[in-house]
Amino acid sequence: MEKTRERNTQEICFMFLFLFFFSFTCNGFQTVNEHEILFSIKASLHDPSTFLSNWKNTSLFCTWNGVSCNSDSTHVTGLHLSGKNLSGRISESFFQFSHVETIDLSSNQLSGGIPGNVFSCSSLVHLNLSNNNLTGWIPEGSIPKLEKLDLSNNFLDGEIPAEIGSFSGLLYLDLGGNALVGQIPKSMSNLTRLKDLTLASNQLVGGVPSELGFMKSLNFIYLGYNNLSGEIPKEIGGLSSLNHLNLAFNNLTGEIPASLGNLTNLHHLFLYFNKLSGPIPETVFSLRKLVSLDTSDNFLSGEIPELVSEFRNLEVLHLFSNKFSGKIPKSLSSLPHLQVLQLWSNKFSGNIPEDLGKYNNLTVLDLSTNNLTGNIPESLCDSRRLKKLILFSNSLEGGIPTRLSHCRSLERVRLQNNRLSGRLSAEFTKLPLVYFLDLSSNKFSGGIKLLKWKMPKLQMLSLARNKFSGELPDSFGSIKLENLDLSENEFSGHIPPNFGNFPELMELKISQNILSGKIPNELSSCKKLVSVNFSYNHLTGGIPQTLSRLPVLGNLDLSMNKLSGEIPENLGNVESLVQVNISHNNFHGKLPSTGLFLAINSTAVMGNNLCGGAAVTHLPPCKEIKSSNWWFFATASAAVVFAAMSILVFFYLKRRNEAHQVTKRTEHASDEGGEWELLFFDQNASKSIAIDEILQSLRGHRSVVETKNMQYFVNEVNLNNNPILQLNEISKLRHPNIIKIIAICKSEKGRLIMVHEYVEGKKLSEVIGDLGWESRVKIAVGIGKALRYLHGCCSTAGIFVGNVSPENVMVVSMKDEARLRLIPPVMIISDTSKCLVSSAYVAPETRETKEITESSDMYGYGLILIELLTGKTPIDSEMGLHENIVDWARYCYSDCHLETWVDPSLKVQVQKNRNKTVEIMNLALQCTDSDPAARPCARDVVRTLEPISRSNALCF
């Protein structure tokens, strides 16, 4: 009995001791020195903006920046430090205050883990640690009074703690934009007061818990951008207060539950990019408050009923990339707020609703790649706001409606691959904002010269494969034209000399018409011309000598004309030329023995009266002496000359495109002596630079050689094989966004040095942090244009870079122009060449196969886009547990969390370009897709980025 009493006494003492020590926690410790806690917090942070400068002993802490107190100024109740550019770790001191209710540390650069005592203060009501660089797991524990918990957009990993269900007072929970794994805890259903739930942009797996149906207060569910699977639980249909449901970018299967039709307060329903099948339940069309519906990129099928008229508040309808069939509902025309309608890539048939646009507020209409017939409705632009009209690849008939021809808000028009006919109206060719117009592959007719074109923004115009006739206009009202395709029509007359007034023109196609007259000399003013096709016309006269002045001309097709005279000798000196076709004309004389003509294919020169050339041309030898008295001498001489030419051609083919060769011997013992082979591709350089100067520059660890009149870049590379012939292939490349190779120097000891033209500027890797948003987009376009040229414009096989990285991109000073520098050993000339690569910008498949392809180049380009947007490099250490920057970019990419992944220095500019920034990131993720076949080509990338680079353009 006495022992029992003694034990009870000990237990009581222990209890009092426990209560005494518990009084020192944030709930009960009344004598805590809050001054000291604040000083401890300040000491743990780096404050470059000096926001905490008035945290001093000389003033009351209730007057300090970011500190709020209770009514009698005795206790700290709030710390408001959002967006103050603070860095360092979050100290445990933050959670030692006795009365703190709000702690907001969002939008800073804080790193490290979340302190273990984060949930020890029962007084806390609002906790926001979002938009930082926090790592580690979410600590266990709970605060019943906590109403807001925001840990979004960090690098947190691990599973969501099951204890999350004990935060019974939560109204707002955001864990999105992290690297959380595992399943969504079923205990979350205990959060019956929760209104907003965001778990998006993580790596969560398993199904969407049916227990969410018990959380009747929910009005916002965002579970997109995870790896969730299974069917959408029908229990979600019981959430009568739900306003926003986003399950996009998962692996959800099955049909859309009919119970979603019970969500009468739903404004936004996003189910895109899943594997859903079956029809959209008719019950969904009864959601009268719906503003946005996006079920694109699924396997949905069936017809869209006329019940769509119930969507009286609908603004955005995205049903593209599915298997929908039947007719487009006429009742869509009655939706007064409809702005964006995208139904492309389905199986819709029948007519476009006659009154579509009449009562709508359309800005974007994309019905392309369906089976639509009938006419284009007159009313599409009655709102006067339509910017994007895309109807290509259907079977539409008739002409362009008169009212549509007056639609001055149009910016992008794509009507190709239909059966449209009739003439173009004068009003249609004066639309002031159109920058992309494609009417190709239709049945349009009539003349276009008298239309008095006035499209000042026009960059791309294609009228190909129609029945247009008459003379060509002198101008299209724009000096910004880059691509002009008028091929396969019935145009006659001459090629206008004024076509030389298009300074940005890169591609000019006028083939398969009945044009006559001479090729105008004025085309030599188009310094950016890469591809010219005048084939299948009735052109006469000779090839202008001035064409040899085009610095980046790569493709020239003059076949099937009536051209005559001799081939200009200097045309062979155009180093950028990689493909020429002059077949079936009336050319005569000797084929030039320079440049491309030394190895031109016989099919490209046949059907003329030419002679000479290499054996592969199958041309007869040129006869220079025609006398019956000297027939034996002539025959013998011709044989000797032919044999000599054959020998010369053989050696020329072996070293073709070498504009100047010099062999010198260095006397410097430190360079191991020996013979140096110098191959120059620039006549001026061969006269002004010597091997001694190159070696002296390298010994001084300088990358620039300065001669009397010029400067050059030099770079020593390590190659054991003989790359000279391969390098000759790219020495002739000429493009505004590619740095020209001047010379190659190779020693008998195996050293290889490349000499490039000098560019006043710095590497992209050195200046990227100083560039603004517009400059970065401009640079992205420049790199894309260089790749477009290398991959498709400069040769049939394509030239692949292998290491598209910021180290190999020069940014021209004061212009923000990008120029790509091609440097071995990651420079590949054909799709069968292989080499060892180690750069962080090399595609994963290349590391395994050692093979460089167009897709692997696009992977490196995608990494550059990510770096331009985020400021992070592939070797950045702040990726949490993610293996690489691509994985990090994928999970944190989301419109709602834009401020998280953009470079902090761009945040102000990005606010004005949010949609464009998201579109570029989306493009970057396409370029870095794990499946090489899914990556876009450079041509498509440029077409996407160029509109974005214009400040007044609609995103592509």
Side-chain angles (χ1 to χ4, degrees):
M1 186 69 176
E2 187 173 340
K3 290 183 178 180
T4 303
R5 190 179 295 114
E6 181 180 350
R7 186 166 57 250
N8 291 339
T9 302
Q10 290 176 347
E11 291 177 352
I12 293 172
C13 290
F14 178 79
M15 182 181 67
F16 276 111
L17 283 172
F18 174 78
L19 292 174
F20 174 77
F21 284 112
F22 183 75
S23 68
F24 283 82
T25 67
C26 62
N27 282 320
F29 188 24
Q30 302 300 321
T31 61
V32 67
N33 190 329
E34 298 191 354
H35 259 106
E36 295 300 326
I37 294 178
L38 291 169
F39 285 139
S40 175
I41 290 173
K42 181 180 180 181
S44 67
L45 299 175
H46 179 56
D47 179 27
S49 302
T50 65
F51 180 75
L52 309 179
S53 59
N54 69 338
W55 286 30
K56 299 177 181 179
N57 266 326
T58 55
S59 59
L60 296 174
F61 61 72
C62 291
T63 64
W64 293 358
N65 291 339
V67 178
S68 61
C69 295
N70 56 3
S71 57
D72 56 2
S73 299
T74 57
H75 295 289
V76 174
T77 58
L79 292 174
H80 309 275
L81 304 178
S82 175
K84 305 307 178 187
N85 200 25
L86 301 172
S87 58
R89 293 177 174 268
I90 298 178
S91 168
E92 290 190 353
S93 300
F94 276 100
F95 309 102
Q96 293 177 352
F97 295 100
S98 57
H99 294 79
V100 68
E101 296 179 355
T102 299
I103 296 179
D104 189 352
L105 305 179
S106 61
S107 301
N108 284 293
Q109 304 295 323
L110 301 171
S111 58
I114 299 175
N117 68 334
V118 63
F119 299 131
S120 64
C121 295
S122 60
S123 59
L124 206 55
V125 177
H126 297 100
L127 176 60
N128 191 344
L129 306 181
S130 65
N131 297 307
N132 281 287
N133 300 316
L134 302 177
T135 56
W137 292 19
I138 300 174
E140 296 181 355
S142 68
I143 304 176
K145 291 184 179 181
L146 195 66
E147 295 181 357
K148 178 179 180 179
L149 176 59
D150 191 347
L151 306 179
S152 63
N153 301 315
N154 283 286
F155 300 97
L156 301 174
D157 48 48
E159 297 187 1
I160 300 174
E163 289 82 1
I164 196 72
S166 60
F167 286 80
S168 56
L170 272 183
L171 302 177
Y172 178 101
L173 175 62
D174 192 346
L175 306 180
N178 283 288
L180 300 174
V181 297
Q183 300 187 13
I184 300 173
K186 294 183 178 180
S187 62
M188 198 168 286
S189 62
N190 295 329
L191 307 180
T192 55
R193 298 183 60 198
L194 195 66
K195 294 183 177 181
D196 288 9
L197 172 62
T198 299
L199 305 177
S201 298
N202 280 289
Q203 299 172 12
L204 301 174
V205 296
V208 178
S210 59
E211 287 79 4
L212 293 182
F214 299 131
M215 304 166 68
K216 301 299 184 181
S217 299
L218 279 173
N219 57 41
F220 187 101
I221 297 178
Y222 190 6
L223 307 181
Y225 295 86
N226 280 288
N227 296 314
L228 300 174
S229 57
E231 298 186 357
I232 300 173
K234 61 182 180 181
E235 288 79 3
I236 289 182
L239 303 177
S240 58
S241 298
L242 201 61
N243 176 281
H244 186 118
L245 176 59
N246 191 331
L247 305 177
F249 262 92
N250 281 290
N251 296 309
L252 300 175
T253 56
E255 297 188 359
I256 300 173
S259 62
L260 296 190
N262 298 326
L263 304 176
T264 55
N265 288 303
L266 198 65
H267 286 66
H268 305 279
L269 177 58
F270 298 129
L271 304 177
Y272 57 90
F273 218 101
N274 280 286
K275 299 175 182 179
L276 301 171
S277 58
I280 297 178
E282 289 192 0
T283 56
V284 171
F285 296 101
S286 64
L287 301 177
R288 296 176 178 270
K289 295 184 179 180
L290 208 60
V291 174
S292 302
L293 174 61
D294 192 340
T295 64
S296 59
D297 283 297
N298 279 285
F299 303 116
L300 299 171
S301 58
E303 299 186 7
I304 306 301
E306 296 292 342
L307 285 172
V308 73
S309 60
E310 298 296 315
F311 290 147
R312 305 306 297 172
N313 292 293
L314 196 68
E315 296 178 4
V316 177
L317 180 60
H318 285 175
L319 304 180
F320 58 84
S321 292
N322 279 287
K323 299 179 180 180
F324 292 117
S325 58
K327 296 183 177 181
I328 297 176
K330 295 181 180 180
S331 56
L332 280 174
S333 305
S334 65
L335 304 183
H337 301 289
L338 186 63
Q339 297 180 28
V340 179
L341 177 61
Q342 300 205 77
L343 308 180
W344 50 272
S345 192
N346 278 287
K347 299 178 181 179
F348 288 112
S349 59
N351 295 351
I352 300 174
E354 184 178 359
D355 291 333
L356 189 63
K358 187 173 184 179
Y359 307 107
N360 309 125
N361 216 3
L362 284 179
T363 59
V364 175
L365 177 63
D366 192 340
L367 308 179
S368 60
T369 320
N370 280 287
N371 301 314
L372 300 174
T373 56
N375 297 339
I376 300 175
E378 285 274 359
S379 56
L380 291 183
C381 191
D382 281 6
S383 69
R384 299 300 175 193
R385 297 181 59 197
L386 187 64
K387 295 182 178 181
K388 194 172 182 179
L389 177 62
I390 302 183
L391 304 176
F392 66 84
S393 296
N394 282 288
S395 298
L396 299 172
E397 299 175 336
I400 297 176
T402 303
R403 275 147 59 187
L404 190 63
S405 297
H406 291 82
C407 185
R408 299 178 65 82
S409 59
L410 277 174
E411 297 182 8
R412 186 173 182 83
V413 181
R414 302 186 67 185
L415 305 179
Q416 71 269 29
N417 295 322
N418 280 286
R419 300 174 184 173
L420 300 172
S421 59
R423 297 170 177 262
L424 299 184
S425 68
E427 292 80 9
F428 186 76
T429 58
K430 295 178 183 179
L431 299 177
L433 302 179
V434 172
Y435 66 87
F436 191 106
L437 176 59
D438 193 343
L439 304 180
S440 61
S441 298
N442 280 288
K443 299 179 180 180
F444 289 113
S445 60
I448 65 173
K449 181 174 182 179
L450 300 179
L451 294 177
K452 297 182 180 180
W453 292 73
K454 192 174 183 181
M455 290 183 156
K457 303 292 184 180
L458 195 61
Q459 289 189 327
M460 188 279 181
L461 173 63
S462 178
L463 305 180
R465 296 175 294 283
N466 280 284
K467 297 181 179 180
F468 290 112
S469 59
E471 296 184 1
L472 297 176
D474 291 334
S475 171
F476 294 95
S478 171
I479 61 172
K480 297 182 178 181
L481 263 179
E482 295 183 3
N483 298 82
L484 178 59
D485 190 351
L486 307 175
S487 59
E488 298 184 50
N489 280 284
E490 299 171 6
F491 289 117
S492 58
H494 297 177
I495 300 175
N498 281 2
F499 276 18
N501 296 331
F502 298 140
E504 302 296 323
L505 194 63
M506 298 178 62
E507 188 173 59
L508 176 59
K509 295 181 179 179
I510 323 179
S511 61
Q512 298 188 48
N513 284 284
I514 49 177
L515 296 168
S516 58
K518 296 182 178 181
I519 299 173
N521 289 315
E522 288 81 357
L523 288 179
S524 61
S525 299
C526 303
K527 299 301 183 183
K528 295 184 179 181
L529 260 179
V530 173
S531 180
V532 174
N533 191 340
F534 293 162
S535 63
Y536 289 88
N537 279 287
H538 299 158
L539 299 176
T540 57
I543 300 176
Q545 296 274 352
T546 54
L547 286 186
S548 61
R549 301 175 189 172
L550 296 174
V552 295
L553 183 63
N555 299 300
L556 178 63
D557 192 345
L558 305 177
S559 62
M560 303 299 294
N561 279 285
K562 298 179 180 180
L563 298 169
S564 59
E566 296 187 353
I567 309 300
E569 186 74 21
N570 60 358
L571 188 61
N573 296 327
V574 179
E575 298 178 347
S576 58
L577 264 179
V578 293
Q579 189 170 350
V580 171
N581 191 342
I582 55 174
S583 64
H584 299 287
N585 281 283
N586 297 316
F587 294 119
H588 66 270
K590 181 181 178 182
L591 189 71
S593 56
T594 56
L596 179 73
F597 292 106
L598 284 169
I600 195 168
N601 193 282
S602 60
T603 59
V605 296
M606 65 188 303
N608 290 286
N609 296 311
L610 296 167
C611 63
V616 294
T617 64
H618 300 300
L619 294 176
C622 296
K623 299 179 181 180
E624 298 185 3
I625 301 177
K626 300 180 179 178
S627 173
S628 59
N629 296 328
W630 292 84
W631 68 269
F632 179 80
F633 176 78
T635 304
S637 299
V640 171
V641 169
F642 180 75
M645 286 185 63
S646 298
I647 295 172
L648 289 173
V649 167
F650 171 78
F651 285 105
Y652 202 97
L653 288 174
K654 184 178 180 182
R655 298 172 176 269
R656 67 181 181 272
N657 300 325
E658 298 175 12
H660 188 64
Q661 292 188 33
V662 179
T663 301
K664 294 185 179 181
R665 183 177 298 276
T666 179
E667 302 298 332
H668 298 284
S670 59
D671 295 311
E672 301 178 358
E675 191 175 71
W676 280 88
E677 183 183 12
L678 277 72
L679 303 178
F680 285 99
F681 309 107
D682 183 282
Q683 192 70 22
N684 293 329
S686 66
K687 298 177 181 179
S688 62
I689 189 172
I691 188 64
D692 290 357
E693 295 170 313
I694 295 174
L695 295 176
Q696 184 177 359
S697 176
L698 291 174
R699 285 197 302 272
H701 302 287
R702 290 180 286 115
S703 61
V704 178
V705 173
E706 297 186 13
T707 64
K708 183 176 180 181
N709 300 317
M710 305 180 75
Q711 290 180 305
Y712 306 98
F713 283 124
V714 293
N715 184 69
E716 183 169 3
V717 296
N718 182 19
L719 281 182
N720 294 323
N721 61 336
N722 186 351
I724 295 294
L725 291 179
Q726 291 182 344
L727 294 176
N728 286 344
E729 293 292 329
I730 67 163
S731 66
K732 58 189 176 182
L733 298 179
R734 297 294 183 269
H735 190 273
N737 298 109
I738 296 177
I739 299 178
K740 183 170 65 176
I741 295 178
I742 300 296
I744 303 168
C745 312
K746 185 175 184 294
S747 78
E748 62 182 357
K749 303 294 184 179
R751 296 181 66 184
L752 182 71
I753 300 170
M754 293 188 66
V755 182
H756 290 80
E757 66 174 320
Y758 180 75
V759 175
E760 186 68 37
K762 294 183 178 180
K763 295 178 182 178
L764 176 59
S765 57
E766 297 173 339
V767 300
I768 192 169
D770 301 324
L771 299 172
W773 190 87
E774 292 182 359
S775 297
R776 297 191 193 197
V777 176
K778 184 178 180 181
I779 287 170
V781 172
I783 303 172
K785 286 182 176 180
L787 292 176
R788 178 179 65 180
Y789 172 67
L790 292 171
H791 290 173
C793 295
C794 62
S795 72
T796 303
I799 292 179
F800 308 134
V801 182
N803 185 16
V804 183
S805 71
E807 284 294 311
N808 292 335
V809 175
M810 295 293 295
V811 179
V812 182
S813 298
M814 308 300 292
K815 294 184 179 180
D816 291 338
E817 293 178 354
R819 301 193 67 183
L820 187 62
R821 180 165 54 172
L822 305 178
I823 300 178
V826 289
M827 180 172 56
I828 304 303
I829 309 302
S830 70
D831 58 353
T832 59
S833 299
K834 297 182 180 181
C835 65
L836 293 174
V837 288
S838 58
S839 168
Y841 292 83
V842 172
E845 69 273 9
T846 300
R847 298 182 186 279
E848 297 178 5
T849 65
K850 308 301 184 292
E851 184 175 354
I852 306 298
T853 64
E854 179 179 349
S855 295
S856 63
D857 275 359
M858 298 313 298
Y859 184 91
Y861 179 71
L863 291 179
I864 291 181
L865 289 182
I866 293 175
E867 189 168 345
L868 287 169
L869 292 177
T870 68
K872 295 184 181 296
T873 70
I875 58 174
D876 201 306
S877 60
E878 296 182 354
M879 296 298 165
L881 293 182
H882 291 282
E883 294 184 1
N884 52 57
I885 193 173
V886 176
D887 289 345
W888 170 80
R890 288 192 186 284
Y891 87 77
C892 73
Y893 163 62
S894 167
D895 291 359
C896 297
H897 306 293
L898 179 64
E899 293 78 7
T900 305
W901 45 262
V902 296
D903 190 331
S905 64
L906 298 180
K907 286 187 177 180
V908 175
Q909 295 169 299
V910 164
Q911 291 301 323
K912 302 176 183 178
N913 299 280
R914 294 179 65 88
N915 293 337
K916 297 178 183 179
T917 304
V918 169
E919 188 165 6
I920 296 175
M921 177 57 91
N922 183 51
L923 181 64
L925 296 181
Q926 292 179 40
C927 291
T928 53
D929 196 291
S930 58
D931 180 6
R935 299 170 194 161
C937 65
R939 182 179 295 273
D940 291 337
V941 163
V942 173
R943 286 177 178 174
T944 300
L945 287 178
E946 283 185 316
I948 296 176
S949 68
R950 299 192 306 274
S951 60
N952 63 341
L954 178 69
C955 289
F956 182 83

